[in-house]
Every structure is written in C-alpha cells, then in structure tokens.
Amino acid sequence: MIVTDPWFYITAVPAVLIYGIGKGGLGGALGIIAVPLMALVVSPTQAAAILLPILCVMDAFAVKQHYRSADYSILRQMLPGSLLGVLLAGLFLSITPEAGLKLLIGVLSLLFCVQYVLGGGQQDKKPGKASAWWWSSLGGFSSTAIHAGGGPASIYLLPLRLEKVTLIATMAVLFAIINLAKLIPYSLLGEFDTTNLMTALVLMPLAPVGVYMGVWLLHRVSQDVVYRLCYLFLFVSGMKLVIDVL
C-alpha cells in the first residue's frame, strides 16, 4: 500500500530531488523546501516520515564521501544541543494537532525566507559555546519537525570560516547523526507504517539522482539563482500553509 494521490507525487518528486541537489553540492539548506511542499497534499508528519528514510540513505553516501574531512571538535560542541532539539521536537509533535503543525511549518518557512533575505544572520566574530547550544538546538528541532536544520546550523558554522570541504563534511556527519536520532521519535509516534515506508521505498531511487544533479549543477548553474527559486517556492508554500490554518 502506497500513497496513490497523483498530486502527492507532483510535490514529492521535486522535493526529494531538491533535497538531493542540496546534499550534492548546492547547500544543505535547500532541503528546507521539502516538507512544506509535500505538506500541501499530505499531513506534515506524514510528509516528514516518508522523507526520513530517504534522507538516511542520502546521508550514508555523504558520510562515506566526507567523514575524514569533518571537524569533530565542532561536532562535539554541536551534538548535545542538536540532540536536545530532537527530543523537544519529538515531544512537541506528540501533542500538537495537524493545524498547529501546519501553522508551525508555515511560520518557520517564512522566517527562513526572512533569514535568507537578510543574509543568514552571519556575524563578523566567531560564535561561542552558548551560540553553539542555541543554534544547534534550533537546528535539531527544525530538522525533526520539517527536516530543515541546515539554516540554523549554518548560522553557527558560517562565521567559523571553515574551509569549504571541512564545512560540507562537518554538516554531513552532523545531520547523519541527527537523522538517525530522529528515527526514535518518529517510530514512537507510529509514523513508520506500511504506507509511509512503501512510499519512501518508491521515492528512494530519486535520492542518488538528486545528489548527482547537485554535483552536476554545482559547476554549471549559479548557486544564487537556484537558492532564489527555492526560497520563492518556500515563501509561496509557507504562505499557503499559514492562510489555510487562519
């Protein structure tokens, strides 16, 4: 048994491809659009549950490629807050009705658009331990709720001015661990039913396709153009979710 609504696949196929493109080389924050886009057709928790196994497969490829280049001292600073965020989000999802989740996703989507327009909140000075806890907790929370932890994590990581490969590798390992941790609350919430798992399996072949598209586009298309288009779609989907609830 899988999701049969054709409108679901009209949103899910580009959502998975965009997420893969982000992991492939155009920035992990691109994945922010995936759940809001799919939540236009199915419930937010179902959209996130279908995506999670696919993301774990993407992570396996990314970690295999990059784990040697990750900065593990930074990971030790970020992991406690990230896992706390996963725990808090799991509790939040367990008590929040669908309308509340749609409103949360819509509002977070619009806030991430504002963050993008304002330049991502980058700083001139390097952030400290308190900043690591705050942004990684927010990253773990938003990653669990809508698979969009790349934005908050980037706000902490970018001012550190890491070498490009180190930055990508550190993000890859961080979110591989976060995504594995997210399997626990999603399992406890009963979201991994046969329909969701079989639908994820149907979409799974798109994971490597998206990653390879990201690698290919990295050398041929302006990253700014891709981000502007994705954030435009994110703004529209976020507005639609908020208006539906209100």
Side-chain angles (χ1 to χ4, degrees):
M1 183 67 178
I2 64 172
V3 175
T4 57
D5 185 349
W7 286 106
F8 168 77
Y9 293 97
I10 289 173
T11 61
V13 169
V16 174
L17 289 175
I18 288 170
Y19 217 114
I21 288 170
K23 284 188 176 290
L26 294 183
L30 279 180
I32 190 176
I33 194 175
V35 171
L37 191 59
M38 294 168 64
L40 297 175
V41 181
V42 298
S43 72
T45 50
Q46 184 178 14
I50 291 171
L51 276 172
L52 184 51
I54 302 171
L55 302 189
C56 289
V57 171
M58 291 181 183
D59 289 333
F61 287 103
V63 170
K64 182 179 179 182
Q65 180 69 31
H66 295 301
Y67 75 94
R68 292 183 182 86
S69 302
D71 189 320
Y72 288 92
S73 64
I74 292 176
L75 286 170
R76 284 193 291 271
Q77 292 179 352
M78 298 187 72
L79 275 175
S82 299
L83 296 177
L84 175 63
V86 172
L87 173 63
L88 294 176
L91 295 173
F92 181 86
L93 292 173
S94 68
I95 61 175
T96 305
E98 182 176 330
L101 290 176
K102 283 191 173 183
L103 183 61
L104 169 69
I105 291 171
V107 170
L108 283 178
S109 299
L110 297 177
L111 287 176
F112 280 126
C113 289
V114 172
Q115 171 202 312
Y116 174 73
V117 171
L118 296 180
Q122 296 183 36
Q123 316 167 39
D124 291 328
K125 61 179 183 179
K126 292 186 177 182
K129 291 184 178 180
S131 181
W133 270 87
W134 169 252
W135 291 115
S136 48
S137 296
L138 183 57
F141 186 96
S142 58
S143 179
T144 305
I146 61 171
H147 299 322
S154 295
I155 293 175
Y156 173 73
L157 287 169
L158 290 178
L160 298 178
R161 304 184 187 280
L162 301 173
E163 195 273 329
K164 181 179 178 180
V165 173
T166 304
L167 174 63
I168 293 172
T170 303
M171 291 276 279
V173 175
L174 174 66
F175 283 101
I177 296 171
I178 290 175
N179 284 336
L180 287 175
K182 284 153 54 176
L183 293 172
I184 298 173
Y186 275 88
S187 297
L188 293 175
L189 289 169
E191 291 299 327
F192 291 139
D193 57 22
T194 302
T195 298
N196 290 346
L197 289 176
M198 291 303 295
T199 303
L201 188 61
V202 169
L203 294 169
M204 198 77 72
L206 295 173
V209 174
V211 172
Y212 287 123
M213 286 176 65
V215 174
W216 185 83
L217 288 170
L218 178 62
H219 304 290
R220 293 168 175 82
V221 178
S222 167
Q223 180 169 306
D224 287 339
V225 171
V226 175
Y227 266 72
R228 286 169 187 167
L229 287 173
C230 285
Y231 275 91
L232 174 62
F233 293 141
L234 180 65
F235 178 80
V236 172
S237 60
M239 285 296 296
K240 175 68 164 54
L241 289 170
V242 171
I243 291 171
D244 284 349
V245 173
L246 300 179

